[in-house]
Amino acid sequence: PILVYVVRRLAKFVNCDRRDLVLVENVTTGINSVAKSLSFTKNDSVLFFTLSYGAVKKMMKHICSKTGTEVIE
């Protein structure tokens, strides 16, 4: 299948194991998956740059509001 071929070529290009790659629909989906896999606490802070993508800011602010994490923008 074409996706297997793509993953193998990409893994070779970035010099990693093909099992360490995940293809996602877009960057926002990928960042959302990574962010939701992290454990934030009330003692943590998340720093945003003013140029951060709006959808990512909104998603991270939502995660922070649920965990009590400080948002620094």
Side-chain angles (χ1 to χ4, degrees):
I2 191 73
L3 289 179
V4 173
Y5 173 75
V6 168
V7 169
R8 287 181 180 158
R9 291 278 313 259
L10 182 59
K12 185 176 180 180
F13 179 73
V14 298
N15 194 29
C16 75
D17 190 290
R18 62 182 169 79
R19 294 170 292 186
D20 293 331
L21 290 177
V22 177
L23 299 179
V24 294
E25 292 179 40
N26 55 50
V27 174
T28 304
T29 301
I31 293 174
N32 189 16
S33 299
V34 171
K36 287 188 174 181
S37 73
L38 300 173
S39 298
F40 294 106
T41 67
K42 291 181 181 182
N43 296 326
D44 293 328
S45 298
V46 174
L47 173 67
F48 289 108
F49 294 104
T50 56
L51 299 174
S52 297
Y53 186 61
V56 174
K57 279 187 189 179
K58 187 175 181 179
M59 181 257 316
M60 287 304 299
K61 286 179 180 180
H62 174 73
I63 291 172
C64 290
S65 71
K66 291 174 74 174
T67 60
T69 302
E70 177 186 18
V71 176
I72 303 170
E73 191 168 352

